[in-house]
Amino acid sequence: LEFRRVLFRSAPVFTSTEPAGGRRGATLDVRLRGERLGDVEEVLFYDSGIRVEGVVTCAEREVKVRLRIADDCPLGEHFLRVRTATGISALRMFFVGPFDSIDEREPNNTPAAAQKVALNTTVQGTLAADDEDWFAVEASAGQRLSFEIEGARLGRTMLDPVLVLRDAAGKVVAKSDDTPLLGHDAFISVVAPAAGAYTLQLRDAVYSGNGHVYQIGRAHV
């Protein structure tokens, strides 16, 4: 029993990555956060398509690694662990998508302050307590708008996201809470009924928690 306690106290704790994902074909630096990471020896991915090119910086609570994502890397979830001299961490997820990423910028908690985002972009963001994040996109009539959030699937907090898409007049065009395919994560895909500005509202279903990390991919066809 005492031996197990010693192992538990020395094993690495890996809690999150920042950013939560990256684009196919990109080379980027990713921060792996947690505790007891200072003696890192290896970052393990279990699928093909992501190569760890090296450790950039290393500290007890954060390790920065450089990742190369292959052009043909499978889209979606990729699992990884951190191995140190004293143990191996729990699994965490890193998402690969087809689009470049930008960071959410505050203040964007009202329709008037909605952050303008280009189509075919992934947004990396955080929801604070009682927070709403709003984003604005431009679309042509008949253009397909698709929005998918990765929040609950990141496995970091109890985020239950709700997405609401509105037209320029504020009328609700589509709303999504839970989905059969994505569980608590929301997904919207609609054909824009008219040309103009559309706003996307993101909130937690019951406005609970704090520091909810998410990423939203948006595309048009």
Side-chain angles (χ1 to χ4, degrees):
L1 179 60
E2 183 60 29
F3 178 69
R4 287 201 298 267
R5 287 173 179 166
V6 171
L7 285 178
F8 180 78
R9 288 195 298 266
S10 62
V13 177
F14 175 27
T15 57
S16 64
T17 67
E18 183 185 328
R23 175 183 57 82
R24 265 181 174 172
T27 298
L28 69 162
D29 290 345
V30 177
R31 292 179 172 85
L32 314 180
R33 294 202 167 101
E35 297 178 8
R36 299 188 288 276
L37 302 176
D39 57 348
V40 61
E41 294 187 343
E42 189 176 12
V43 177
L44 303 168
F45 277 92
Y46 288 81
D47 300 311
S48 61
I50 302 178
R51 183 174 72 246
V52 181
E53 298 206 322
V55 175
V56 179
T57 60
C58 181
E60 285 299 298
R61 294 189 175 182
E62 180 179 292
V63 174
K64 183 189 291 186
V65 296
R66 184 155 295 150
L67 303 182
R68 166 63 184 170
I69 304 174
D71 294 339
D72 59 352
C73 180
L75 298 175
E77 305 168 354
H78 291 260
F79 296 96
L80 69 156
R81 297 181 193 263
V82 175
R83 185 177 67 81
T84 68
T86 53
I88 190 166
S89 74
L91 279 172
R92 291 291 177 258
M93 283 187 292
F94 184 82
F95 282 78
V96 173
F99 307 130
D100 287 324
S101 294
I102 64 170
D103 292 331
E104 174 227 351
R105 297 192 307 271
E106 295 284 355
N108 64 339
N109 57 347
T110 65
Q115 179 180 346
K116 293 182 179 180
V117 177
L119 294 169
N120 294 339
T121 303
T122 296
V123 179
Q124 308 273 351
T126 304
L127 272 177
D130 300 325
D131 192 14
E132 294 181 355
D133 287 344
W134 289 75
F135 305 96
V137 298
E138 293 284 338
S140 303
Q143 188 173 27
R144 179 166 293 279
L145 297 172
S146 299
F147 306 90
E148 178 182 339
I149 185 167
E150 290 149 358
R153 284 174 289 169
L154 295 180
R156 301 183 190 177
T157 62
M158 298 297 289
L159 174 60
D160 185 4
V162 176
L163 293 177
V164 183
L165 182 67
R166 292 178 170 85
D167 64 16
K171 179 182 177 182
V172 174
V173 176
K175 179 179 179 180
S176 176
D177 188 349
D178 300 341
T179 56
L181 180 62
L182 306 177
H184 285 302
D185 282 340
F187 174 76
I188 287 174
S189 185
V190 298
V191 174
Y198 289 80
T199 55
L200 184 74
Q201 175 196 18
L202 165 64
R203 63 176 177 84
D204 181 75
V206 293
Y207 291 96
S208 67
N210 196 6
H212 293 308
V213 177
Y214 65 84
Q215 59 178 16
I216 299 176
R218 40 176 54 77
H220 73 277
V221 177

